[in-house]
Amino acid sequence: MTTQDDRGAVVLSRAHGFFTIAGGLWPLLHPTSFDKVFGPTTDRRLRRTVAGLLVGIGWTQVRAAGTPDGAGQARRLGMATAATLLTADLLRVPTGRIRPAFLLDAAAHALWLRAWRAGAVRPEPRAGGRTRSVVAAAAALAAGCATGGALASRVLRRPPEQEVSELTRARYLRHPAAR
């Protein structure tokens, strides 16, 4: 069995890797804007740990893309990461533990899963496979950029003096008294 298209898988793994790196760097480099979009957290250590893991996963995907078996490894890592984050978002938003903004994150991860499925392992390569993989990677990357842009515009539109109310903060924190 061979991958449907090695070049498409390389493009996809690098695109997903850079997306994952960016998602991990945001809460590390600018936690204030991250908190404005996704809400404050009581466990900053956990947020930094997950962010660091995302940077490591993304870097691994980018680096693995050029190795002989790298596309397959990047695919497994990308699908596992996207599925895990998608599941976490979909399970926690309805409970009110995290903000609905995480549904945009869930949509981006669903698109990454779709892009990886488009480049799935097949017995024989099909005609036009590379084009489909590249288009799927481009669509997932565009969706990720659009998500980031929408979240950033939400933060930038808010006047800096506007504070989050205590009621809003309490709604998204597990233990408001622990602040």
Side-chain angles (χ1 to χ4, degrees), residues 53-145:
L53 288 170
L54 288 176
V55 170
I57 289 167
W59 182 247
T60 302
Q61 284 181 289
V62 169
R63 296 291 303 202
T67 64
D69 189 39
Q73 292 174 356
R75 177 181 184 273
R76 288 186 294 274
L77 188 58
M79 288 190 77
T81 302
T84 300
L85 294 173
L86 173 66
T87 302
D89 292 342
L90 292 179
L91 290 177
R92 295 177 62 95
V93 168
T95 65
R97 294 286 307 277
I98 58 176
R99 287 187 176 177
F102 277 97
L103 291 176
L104 292 173
D105 186 54
H109 292 299
L111 288 171
W112 284 116
L113 282 172
R114 174 65 183 108
W116 281 114
R117 292 285 302 149
V121 174
R122 300 187 189 282
E124 294 182 24
R126 294 192 308 185
R130 176 179 35 177
T131 304
R132 288 182 358 132
S133 293
V134 171
V135 168
L141 187 58
C145 291

Side-chain angles (χ1 to χ4, degrees), residues 22 45 55 61 70-71 97 106 126 129 140 149-150 153-154 169 173:
R45 181 197 61 80
V55 170
Q61 284 181 289
R97 294 286 307 277
R126 294 192 308 185
S153 70
R154 180 176 176 208
R169 181 173 285 130
L173 291 176

Side-chain angles (χ1 to χ4, degrees), residues 155-169:
V155 169
L156 295 175
R157 277 187 298 175
R158 186 178 299 159
E161 65 275 354
Q162 182 181 357
E163 290 293 322
V164 177
S165 72
E166 286 298 314
L167 179 61
T168 301
R169 181 173 285 130

